[in-house]
Each structure stands twice: as C-alpha cells, then as structure tokens.
Amino acid sequence: MSDCIFCKIIAGEISTYKVYEDDDVLAFLDVTPVNPGHTLVVPKKHYNNLLDLPETEASKLISIIKKITPAVLAGVGADGFNLELNNGVVSGQVVNHVHWHIVPRLAGDGRELWHGRSYDEGEAEEVLKKIKSKI
Ligand code: 5GP
Ligand code: ZN
C-alpha cells in the first residue's frame, strides 16, 4: 500500500535496522522501543490485521518469531518477552500493517501491563453465552 510506512520500509524507501529478512518476512527494530531489542515482525505483503492474515502467512510469521526471539533475548540479555499484536485503533494499533511486537523483558524493567478486573456475579456466564452463539 502506497501510504503504509511498513510497506515503505519493506520496499527500502525508508531505512531501518533489519534483524531478519527472507522472501516473505521482515523483522526490524522498533524505532521507539519499550526496551532495547524491541523487534517488529511483519509479512512483506500488506494485510491490515491478524484476522485478514491467511493461515499460511500466520504460520510462517510464528515460525520466524520462534527462530529469532532467542537471538533477540540473548543479544540484549533479557530473560523473557511479551509477544504483542494490536488489532484495530481501540487496541492501540497505529500502523495498519499487521505486525507482531517482540518486547524483551528484564527483571525490574518496570513495564506495566494492563490491569484486570473481576467479573460481576453472573457476568462471565452471560458473556460466554454470547461468544459461543457467534462461533
Ligand atoms: P502499533 O501501535 O501499531 O502496534 O505499533 C506500531 C509500532 O511501529 C510502534 O511501536 C512504533 O514505534 C513503530 N514504528 C512506527 N513507525 C516506524 C518506523 O518508521 N520505523 C520503525 N522501525 N518503527 C516504526
Ligand atoms: Zn503495508
């Protein structure tokens, strides 16, 4: 897509720090990392989000993520990672080209995840009923 910043990176029109590249996938350092080594993994073809991504492309991405993540963690001395994929504006997706975030985590890095809440009485059963009726 001509107005997509990640398509421009893939086409070489915008420079980036490439972690890994093959015919179908590019992994590169996020320009504003949560922690050093924060890496984005994208299909070279443009898809808006995970629900648009064909299963073969999704499998390939996961396989590359499993291949490069140990190197990312070893490279920055991290002990774990968050694997995140934002879908839609309300989730925080800013770039409309599906991308996994590999976010290296270090003990005491202070990064906050979202805060959960408890279900009210009967709420979980109600929600479950609605979800299952749509499957
Ligand atoms: P989202 O919020 O869409 O899940 O994440 C988009 C990510 O892309 C952000 O973390 C942002 O820092 C990163 N990003 C946006 N523009 C560029 C860019 O031009 N180069 C690189 N390397 N990362 C970018
Ligand atoms: Zn794109």
Side-chain angles (χ1 to χ4, degrees):
M1 273 178 74
S2 57
D3 61 345
C4 171
I5 195 149
F6 288 177
C7 283
K8 286 181 180 157
I9 288 174
I10 290 159
E13 293 165 20
I14 296 175
S15 66
T16 193
Y17 293 105
K18 292 183 183 178
V19 173
Y20 173 89
E21 183 171 23
D22 64 27
D23 289 346
D24 307 309
V25 176
L26 178 65
F28 53 99
L29 295 182
D30 194 304
V31 75
T32 55
V34 172
N35 278 329
H38 180 164
T39 298
L40 303 175
V41 187
V42 306
K44 286 193 169 176
K45 283 190 207 149
H46 182 100
Y47 300 99
N48 290 339
N49 61 46
L50 184 67
L51 299 183
D52 296 331
L53 190 65
E55 290 203 12
T56 48
E57 298 257 11
S59 303
K60 176 84 195 271
L61 282 168
I62 290 294
S63 145
I64 299 304
I65 287 165
K66 284 171 67 72
K67 178 189 175 91
I68 67 174
T69 298
V72 170
L73 302 190
V76 298
D79 300 315
F81 65 103
N82 291 107
L83 184 61
E84 299 188 359
L85 202 169
N86 299 324
N87 293 273
V89 174
V90 290
S91 75
Q93 184 178 12
V94 174
V95 179
N96 206 24
H97 180 131
V98 64
H99 53 281
W100 292 95
H101 294 252
I102 302 169
V103 181
R105 297 301 305 274
L106 294 89
D109 63 18
R111 184 173 182 258
E112 283 193 23
L113 296 180
W114 59 79
H115 299 288
R117 68 160 179 89
S118 302
Y119 280 110
D120 294 333
E121 182 71 31
E123 187 186 2
E125 291 82 354
E126 189 65 24
V127 168
L128 195 61
K129 205 167 101 186
K130 286 179 182 166
I131 292 172
K132 284 188 161 182
S133 74
K134 302 290 183 190
I135 291 176

